[in-house]
Amino acid sequence: MKEIKLLSFKQEGRIEAGCDEAGRGPLAGPVFAAAVILPRDFHHPLLNDSKQMTEKARQELRPIIEREAIAWAVEEVSAEEIDKLNILWASVTGMQRAVLKLKVQPEFLLIDGNKFRPFGPYTRKDYETVVHGDATYACIAAASVLAKTYRDDYMIELAKQFPQYGWNTNKGYPTPEHIAAIKKYGWTEHHRKSFHPKELEPTLF
């Protein structure tokens, strides 16, 4: 895997946290969000946008991030909350919760994507949205790794209760296998009611 050069910070001398989420596209399961504050000298050759990393690399890197980060936190937003908020604002809510859970409160937030909003002590001048931020800043990339690995582990455990849907491999995403299982077995309380492929409309809840 080709190593990419990630930026360590946006502004020198400021406590910055990177925020990202995992699980916006699935039909089932929560969305997970993470916030991470890294030391300025943190570097690891595997660190990248989690979507560009292998599962093995993500799992290898997760304990390193948890051990070496100044602070980190992971939060989940349930399928029920996703249906109430919509997936965009559920993702934002998850990142906000993760920030507030950090044992060290950051002075500035770097947010993956292009949507966010003020909350708690953070005004519009206290954060910046960064498209492809997980491939730009190390702290966002680290947050993407934590969010992705925690969500994958959650879906693997949930699959033990609902093995027919294949969540241990598809992680709740709309694969042909998952869609066929919904047609055959119906929907569960872990499925999101607000998002579904057109072909599943006749089976809706």
Side-chain angles (χ1 to χ4, degrees):
M1 182 184 297
K2 182 181 178 182
E3 183 180 350
I4 65 167
K5 181 66 174 175
L6 297 169
L7 300 174
S8 297
F9 54 87
K10 172 77 175 178
Q11 181 178 308
E12 184 69 69
R14 182 172 64 182
I15 302 174
E16 299 176 347
C19 302
D20 202 0
E21 50 69 31
R24 284 183 63 165
L27 302 178
V31 63
F32 273 66
V36 178
I37 303 172
L38 290 177
R40 291 301 170 93
D41 61 352
F42 181 88
H43 173 78
H44 196 285
L46 290 178
L47 185 59
N48 194 350
D49 168 7
S50 65
K51 296 184 292 297
Q52 303 301 318
M53 298 171 63
T54 64
E55 182 177 0
K56 180 180 178 182
R58 289 192 297 266
Q59 291 293 346
E60 180 180 337
L61 194 52
R62 178 168 123 183
I64 297 172
I65 293 169
E66 293 177 344
R67 182 176 66 247
E68 298 192 20
I70 294 169
W72 63 273
V74 177
E75 283 286 308
E76 66 179 88
V77 181
S78 70
E80 183 179 5
E81 287 182 281
I82 290 169
D83 290 334
K84 290 177 181 176
L85 298 170
N86 79 40
I87 186 57
L88 168 62
W89 295 116
S91 299
V92 168
T93 297
M95 288 189 279
Q96 292 172 341
R97 289 177 183 171
V99 169
L100 294 176
K101 192 177 175 184
L102 290 169
K103 65 180 182 181
V104 175
Q105 283 300 292
E107 299 168 307
F108 193 80
L109 310 176
L110 293 165
I111 310 296
D112 183 65
N114 62 0
K115 297 288 185 182
F116 202 66
R117 57 187 172 194
F119 69 105
Y122 296 97
T123 67
R124 180 63 190 87
K125 65 180 177 58
D126 298 319
Y127 66 84
E128 180 177 326
T129 56
V130 185
V131 177
H132 304 307
D134 45 8
T136 305
Y137 288 100
C139 57
I140 301 180
S144 78
V145 169
L146 295 192
K148 172 66 173 167
T149 55
Y150 272 84
R151 187 179 190 279
D152 284 357
D153 287 353
Y154 179 95
M155 295 305 296
I156 290 168
E157 283 300 308
L158 197 60
K160 295 175 182 177
Q161 300 175 47
F162 301 90
Q164 65 269 39
Y165 295 96
W167 292 339
N168 57 311
T169 54
N170 64 49
K171 308 302 190 296
Y173 282 86
T175 62
E177 169 198 32
H178 190 187
I179 291 172
I182 293 171
K183 289 179 177 178
K184 183 174 182 178
Y185 301 107
W187 303 81
T188 71
E189 68 269 29
H190 300 287
H191 281 98
R192 305 172 184 179
K193 297 179 174 63
S194 53
F195 174 76
H196 52 270
K198 212 168 191 53
E199 64 192 288
L200 287 174
E201 287 184 0
T203 71
L204 284 179
F205 312 102

